[in-house]
Amino acid sequence: MKINPRCKQDFTQVYINTEGYVMPCCWIGNHPFLQDFFDFLGTDAEQTNLKNLSLNEILKSAAFQKIESSWDSETPFRPCRIMCQRKYSEDQNLRGDNEIATLEIEKE
């Protein structure tokens, strides 16, 4: 099975939940996949929390590497397998034409 990760194609965004956990995409951070994130990473999930590491450190962490390395394995990370499987992502435009709204904050 080939994973076609959209988070790597359009790597301009990550998802940060209200508890400070950084995830490759919003699908992972919401039902039904949020528990998969914690189950898959185990104690390494703490490497993805902004309370513990900077964003740059998180993006280079063993936890993020574990998710990415699963893409080429026989058992890819479940949310990625379901949402970014090559055949599925090529056959359907899940991304749609909607853009994610961004908030710009002016510095004083």
Side-chain angles (χ1 to χ4, degrees):
M1 169 182 313
K2 178 69 175 159
I3 301 299
N4 186 24
R6 283 184 212 96
C7 63
K8 286 299 186 183
Q9 295 170 12
D10 302 322
F11 197 70
T12 58
Q13 304 168 19
V14 292
Y15 179 80
I16 303 172
N17 77 2
T18 58
E19 295 176 353
Y21 287 95
V22 178
M23 299 166 197
C25 72
C26 63
W27 287 322
I28 294 171
N30 289 290
H31 181 77
F33 300 125
L34 182 58
Q35 190 58 48
D36 289 314
F37 177 78
F38 293 105
D39 291 345
F40 185 76
L41 294 178
T43 57
D44 287 344
E46 290 307 310
Q47 294 177 14
T48 67
N49 194 298
L50 288 169
K51 295 175 188 172
N52 303 323
L53 298 171
S54 71
L55 182 57
N56 285 333
E57 291 171 321
I58 290 169
L59 296 176
K60 296 175 185 175
S61 70
F64 259 60
Q65 295 302 313
K66 184 175 182 179
I67 292 171
E68 290 182 14
S69 66
S70 80
W71 298 334
D72 294 323
S73 75
E74 293 296 318
T75 55
F77 183 39
R78 181 176 171 262
C80 303
R81 177 176 44 85
I82 292 170
M83 302 309 295
C84 295
Q85 187 180 128
R86 177 164 306 272
K87 184 178 185 315
Y88 190 73
S89 61
E90 287 176 351
D91 291 346
Q92 297 186 23
N93 182 8
L94 292 177
R95 186 162 181 232
D97 295 327
N98 298 326
E99 292 185 19
I100 295 174
T102 58
L103 178 64
E104 293 187 25
I105 300 172
E106 290 184 27
K107 293 184 178 181
E108 294 182 29

